[in-house]
Amino acid sequence: MAQSVTEWVKVTDDISIISRQSGEVWFHTSDSTKEIADPFAVPMTGVGSAGSTVGLLDGAINLGFVAIEKRLARPEPTVAAYIVALVGAYHTSVDTPRNLRRAASRFSELGRPEVAAYLEERAREETGHDRLALKDVRALGVPGERLVANYIPEGIKPLCKRFDDLCAEEYPIGSIGYSYCLERIAALKQEADIARVRTLCPEGVDATRFLRSHSSLGSEASHVAETIEFVATLPASDRTKVVQETYESSLLLAEGYNHELLKSEAELLEEIRKAIGEALPYGRGSAPSNIEEHVARPVA
Ligand SMILES: [Fe+2]
Ligand SMILES: [Fe+2]
């Protein structure tokens, strides 16, 4: 009988994620007071499997979000917050195809055509997603081009920079970890979440194109599944780097999203007003009060 695969990755000085093909995942904390050497401090060298790789990737995201658990903002969702989330979605999408192609051409140079082909395919799939966010902003009666040209939400800037930097690295494998992190979180969105956002929008307005496509209903779910399958085929050193970057990206993403969620509606309205040079056609308290906090999370 083939042996079950176990994978592990050290993501901080003292925490390793351990995952089995069967789906079990542990967070292992090394104890420096013990004399026995920590077996998980040594990088893994074996093959991967989809079952164990997904445990490492999702474990890394969970660990990143634990860091802000106690400070997690739970705001009332509003149209203003949704518009800001769409602006964030625009900025995290607009350079994605170009960045992915840059990383792909680097892997071609490095003699890794399989990684280059995977990244090229992702670049094709992500093309035009910035336009979806822009259309949604416009559907809400806001001059989208002007808004995105003059405004990048503060919490989103570090994410954009991270992806730019990762794709420009000499060995840009971390770009896969970053992308997985964003897509996995987007794919958590369910039909009910989209329906709730619709109730925020004015009668007859469809401003959920980006959200639909970046949810469990759209292409995001298959992007996540394809990435897991692909990462599982990579050599152990690449899988380790991908998981480590998934963790680093989830820290940035959790902090960045929370930063935006902690803003008051008045602050958000003021940021939008400054960017477009006029007040939004939406007043305060335009949202129903019974929407769960996760709906107000940035849309991607
Ligand atoms: Fe996308
Ligand atoms: Fe995607």
Side-chain angles (χ1 to χ4, degrees):
M1 200 174 89
Q3 237 196 328
S4 170
V5 172
T6 300
E7 296 187 69
W8 66 91
V9 172
K10 195 168 188 286
V11 287
T12 70
D13 284 345
D14 56 0
I15 302 177
S16 299
I17 308 170
I18 308 165
S19 178
R20 276 204 188 134
Q21 194 170 0
S22 55
E24 295 154 283
V25 181
W26 297 267
F27 296 104
H28 169 77
T29 308
S30 62
D31 186 347
S32 54
T33 60
K34 284 194 178 156
E35 306 248 311
I36 318 153
D38 178 2
F40 301 107
V42 181
M44 63 179 174
T45 54
V47 295
S49 73
S52 46
T53 298
V54 67
L56 293 180
L57 292 167
D58 288 355
I61 293 175
N62 284 329
L63 206 57
F65 273 84
V66 163
I68 60 139
E69 209 170 27
K70 292 199 177 77
R71 295 178 285 123
L72 191 66
R74 295 176 192 279
E76 295 271 309
T78 63
V79 178
Y82 184 56
I83 291 169
V84 171
L86 285 169
V87 174
Y90 170 85
H91 286 294
T92 54
S93 304
V94 66
D95 294 327
T96 301
R98 179 178 55 83
N99 274 331
L100 288 171
R101 287 200 176 96
R102 178 178 185 160
S105 73
R106 181 65 192 138
F107 277 108
S108 288
E109 287 168 14
L110 291 166
R112 296 287 303 277
E114 81 290 5
V115 185
Y118 164 82
L119 293 169
E120 287 282 358
E121 173 72 18
R122 307 315 314 279
R124 272 192 295 278
E125 288 169 349
E126 294 301 324
T127 299
H129 287 187
D130 54 320
R131 305 300 302 174
L132 296 177
L134 210 48
K135 275 186 183 169
D136 288 338
V137 174
R138 283 205 300 254
L140 289 164
V142 180
E145 274 85 359
R146 203 189 318 157
L147 180 59
V148 299
N150 296 326
Y151 179 42
I152 304 181
E154 209 54 46
I156 300 302
K157 284 181 188 169
L159 280 172
C160 297
K161 182 174 181 338
R162 183 83 180 182
F163 194 50
D164 289 351
D165 291 349
L166 286 168
C167 291
E169 282 182 355
E170 283 295 294
Y171 192 75
I173 199 79
S175 60
I176 298 175
Y178 171 99
S179 298
Y180 181 82
C181 184
L182 258 70
E183 295 194 312
R184 181 71 180 95
I185 286 170
L188 293 173
K189 299 269 188 300
Q190 302 295 314
E191 194 160 12
D193 299 320
I194 296 159
R196 288 189 192 105
V197 168
R198 279 209 185 94
T199 67
L200 282 176
C201 302
E203 193 67 26
V205 166
D206 175 20
T208 61
R209 296 167 186 85
F210 187 95
L211 185 56
R212 282 200 310 273
S213 106
H214 295 79
S215 73
S216 60
L217 307 184
S219 51
E220 218 63 323
S222 59
H223 293 176
V224 167
E226 286 159 18
T227 298
I228 293 163
E229 290 291 334
F230 178 69
V231 173
T233 66
L234 291 171
S237 57
D238 285 350
R239 298 199 310 280
T240 297
K241 289 192 188 96
V242 169
V243 171
Q244 285 169 337
E245 183 49 45
T246 301
Y247 171 68
E248 296 299 331
S249 293
S250 83
L251 284 175
L252 274 187
L253 193 134
E255 282 294 346
Y257 280 14
N258 213 37
H259 178 86
E260 293 306 314
L261 292 171
L262 284 165
K263 286 177 185 166
S264 69
E265 193 191 3
E267 279 175 275
L268 295 171
L269 286 168
E270 181 55 15
E271 288 182 6
I272 297 169
R273 189 196 63 74
K274 271 193 190 149
I276 60 175
E278 60 189 84
L280 266 191
Y282 301 99
R284 291 213 201 165
S286 51
S289 59
N290 61 344
I291 297 179
E292 291 161 25
E293 61 79 25
H294 65 279
V295 182
R297 285 179 185 280
V299 293

